[in-house]
Structure formats: C-alpha cells, structure tokens
C-alpha cells in the first residue's frame, strides 16, 4: 500500500533484486538494512522487523564500478482493531 509519503508493506513481503552488467559482469549484489552491516544477497530477502526502514542496494561489477539504490518503507504487522457492541 502506498500512502502520500510512505510505502507500507506486510512482513511477508518478499523483495526481489537483480542486476546486470553488459561489460565485465556483476561481481556482487549487497543489501544494507537500516544500521546493519551490508550483506551479500542472492536476489531475494524479507524484512520481518516492524517499523520504518531504509534499504540500500549496491551492485558492483568486476572492475569496481558500483551503483546504489535507496528505498524507504514501513513494515506493518499490527492487525486492525475491531469492536462489536450491542444492547441488552
């Protein structure tokens, strides 16, 4: 779901990432979530922790060129509240 200034996703959401390089080829695809250390990914990952997040995807080719993409989103795992009332 996309609001005016935010993207909200369920924790079950699977992110997919891919990269290509027509020259020497891709050497690595890494992901950095919030303040965590960057980690190499195989193209898919999940963010199970509820709250606001910033993700940085970095792709490098075999000669060291790199490109980074930054995305912000919020993971919402809180169900809605529901009340049912009645009269005696």
């Amino acid at each position: 779901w996309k609001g005016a200034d935010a993207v909200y996703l369920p924790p079950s959401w699977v992110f997919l990432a891919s990269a290509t390089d027509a020259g020497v080829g891709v050497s690595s695809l890494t992901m950095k979530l919030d303040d965590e250390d960057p980690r190499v990914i195989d193209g898919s990952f999940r963010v199970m922790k509820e709250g606001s997040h910033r993700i940085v995807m970095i792709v490098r080719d075999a000669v060291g060129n790199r490109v980074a993409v930054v995305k912000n989103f919020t993971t919402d795992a809180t169900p809605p509240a529901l009340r049912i009332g009645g009269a005696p």
Side-chain angles (χ1 to χ4, degrees), residues 31-87:
M31 184 263 300
K32 180 177 181 351
L33 177 66
D34 301 326
D35 293 329
E36 296 177 1
D37 290 333
R39 60 183 171 157
V40 175
I41 63 167
D42 65 359
S44 66
F45 59 92
R46 285 191 172 142
V47 177
M48 301 300 287
K49 193 183 328 178
E50 187 169 29
S52 297
H53 301 287
R54 177 183 176 97
I55 195 165
V56 180
M57 301 294 301
I58 302 166
V59 62
R60 287 185 172 82
D61 69 12
V63 294
N65 297 314
R66 70 177 215 120
V67 174
V69 175
V70 178
K71 296 291 182 185
N72 296 302
F73 63 95
T74 300
T75 303
D76 181 6
T78 305
L82 174 62
R83 288 186 186 197
I84 299 175

